[in-house]
Amino acid sequence: MIGGVSPIRFIGFDTTRTPINTDANRPTITTATNSIILLNFNAAEGLYFRNFIFTQTAATSAVGIANATAASGTIVALEFVNCKWGSAFTSVYSSTTAATKINARFVGCEMTATTGSTFNLGTATIMSFESCWIHDNAAVALNFPTGSSANIAAVRSIIVDNGTRGVFFAGTTGAGSTAVKFHNCTIANNTTSQIEADQTTGAIGNVEMINCILYGTVAIDLATAGTDKYFTARTNAFSGTKTNFTTGQGDIALSGDPFTNAASDDYSLDNTAGEGAACRGDGWPGVFPGGLTTGYVDVGAVQHADPAGGGQKSSVY
């Protein structure tokens, strides 16, 4: 697929022509041919997809999105809004070299059922995830291979129930060149760990975690003592072990499951002391510079709803 400098928009509608359609009637782009990359871009720039389901049914699957050739240069200005990726892609996206990288934005998208790491975020990849749900994939949700220098931002996103790790920094990642931000994300119930780094030499990069929930048997596992100096951590809620991670600013220790019903994919905050109630209204920054304004942001991806009638929130602490 070849794009142009001006945005080219692909918008899927069902019979009701709903601007944001989340049901199964969204148009489906699929392939049944072995080893076919569903969206293989060549010199593309400025492509926008909204309201699509991307699937594959072949016995031998491939990745969902790729840069066709190093000669085509960086693929930039891709945007996916309200799209779903599923049905056993090896990965939604995978690249280990700057020559075949893709710069993309995902907004309100769902990624599930990949057989490998959902995203392999290699050298110089620039990607953002806003209000996305990455769940029930066989391996790592966001994987940073050895040598990665990716620049990634995830905001209000839910990364849960994946087969190994939620986020994984593998090997000796790029001598501090990786830049990753997680703001108001929920990273929970991933099998091995929520965030893990295997660096034994070199720097993990720069990781910023603000107002996130890390809930599971292993919350965070850093291979090397002192590695957490590369983390900026403010008002995160933890449950599970923390290896080689000391403390951040305003850490919240969870005594139980903070979610309304995670088993039914409801990751809103319950109102039980030591659980969801501890995350309600306590997020950073709280008091703004100058001390004249105070915010009451919830920790995690999903903000709680006040009872009907308005007024102050009711929480148990």
Side-chain angles (χ1 to χ4, degrees), residues 41-291:
F41 296 106
N42 187 349
E45 181 176 351
L47 296 175
Y48 175 96
F49 297 84
R50 191 175 83 201
N51 298 350
F52 286 97
I53 296 174
F54 300 100
T55 68
Q56 70 84 40
T57 58
T60 304
S61 63
V63 299
I65 306 171
N67 185 336
T69 171
S72 70
T74 301
I75 308 302
V76 299
L78 297 182
E79 186 167 358
F80 298 88
V81 177
N82 191 42
C83 293
K84 178 179 180 178
W85 299 84
S87 299
F89 289 102
T90 54
S91 300
V92 173
Y93 164 81
S94 181
S95 176
T96 58
T97 67
T100 57
K101 71 175 183 176
I102 286 177
N103 296 346
R105 180 186 184 207
F106 295 87
V107 180
C109 291
E110 178 183 358
M111 301 85 169
T112 189
T114 59
T115 60
S117 295
T118 314
F119 288 87
N120 283 305
L121 301 162
T123 301
T125 297
I126 299 174
M127 202 165 281
S128 67
F129 304 90
E130 302 166 45
S131 300
C132 290
W133 182 26
I134 307 174
H135 69 101
D136 294 288
N137 298 286
V140 183
L142 303 182
N143 183 53
F144 295 84
T146 297
S148 173
S149 58
N151 189 328
I152 306 298
V155 180
R156 297 183 306 276
S157 291
I158 300 173
I159 303 171
V160 294
D161 297 323
N162 296 289
T164 55
R165 306 160 179 93
V167 180
F168 184 45
F169 299 90
T172 53
T173 299
S177 57
T178 301
V180 185
K181 295 183 178 182
F182 297 104
H183 287 196
N184 278 95
C185 289
T186 293
I187 308 174
N189 297 326
N190 299 289
T191 303
T192 305
S193 59
Q194 312 319 306
I195 295 179
E196 184 174 331
D198 274 3
Q199 280 74 9
T200 54
T201 60
I204 190 174
N206 300 291
V207 182
E208 182 178 272
M209 293 192 308
I210 296 177
N211 297 343
C212 293
I213 295 175
L214 276 67
Y215 179 82
T217 304
V218 177
I220 186 166
D221 182 5
L222 309 181
T224 306
T227 306
D228 61 345
K229 69 183 179 182
Y230 298 104
F231 280 74
T232 299
R234 295 191 178 100
T235 321
N236 299 289
F238 295 92
S239 176
T241 60
K242 294 189 290 184
T243 302
N244 289 322
F245 184 88
T246 51
T247 58
Q249 175 185 331
D251 283 355
I252 298 168
L254 297 172
S255 58
D257 186 342
F259 308 117
T260 301
N261 191 345
S264 297
D265 300 322
D266 183 352
Y267 285 90
S268 61
L269 298 172
D270 68 22
N271 200 23
T272 302
E275 300 177 1
C279 301
R280 292 187 174 204
D282 285 340
W284 185 84
V287 179
F288 279 70

Side-chain angles (χ1 to χ4, degrees), residues 304 306-314:
H304 80 278
D306 284 322
Q312 292 291 326
K313 69 182 179 69
S314 175

Side-chain angles (χ1 to χ4, degrees), residues 1-3 10 38-44 47 49 75:
M1 181 178 290
I2 300 176
F10 301 88
L38 199 62
L39 297 179
N40 203 7
F41 296 106
N42 187 349
L47 296 175
F49 297 84
I75 308 302

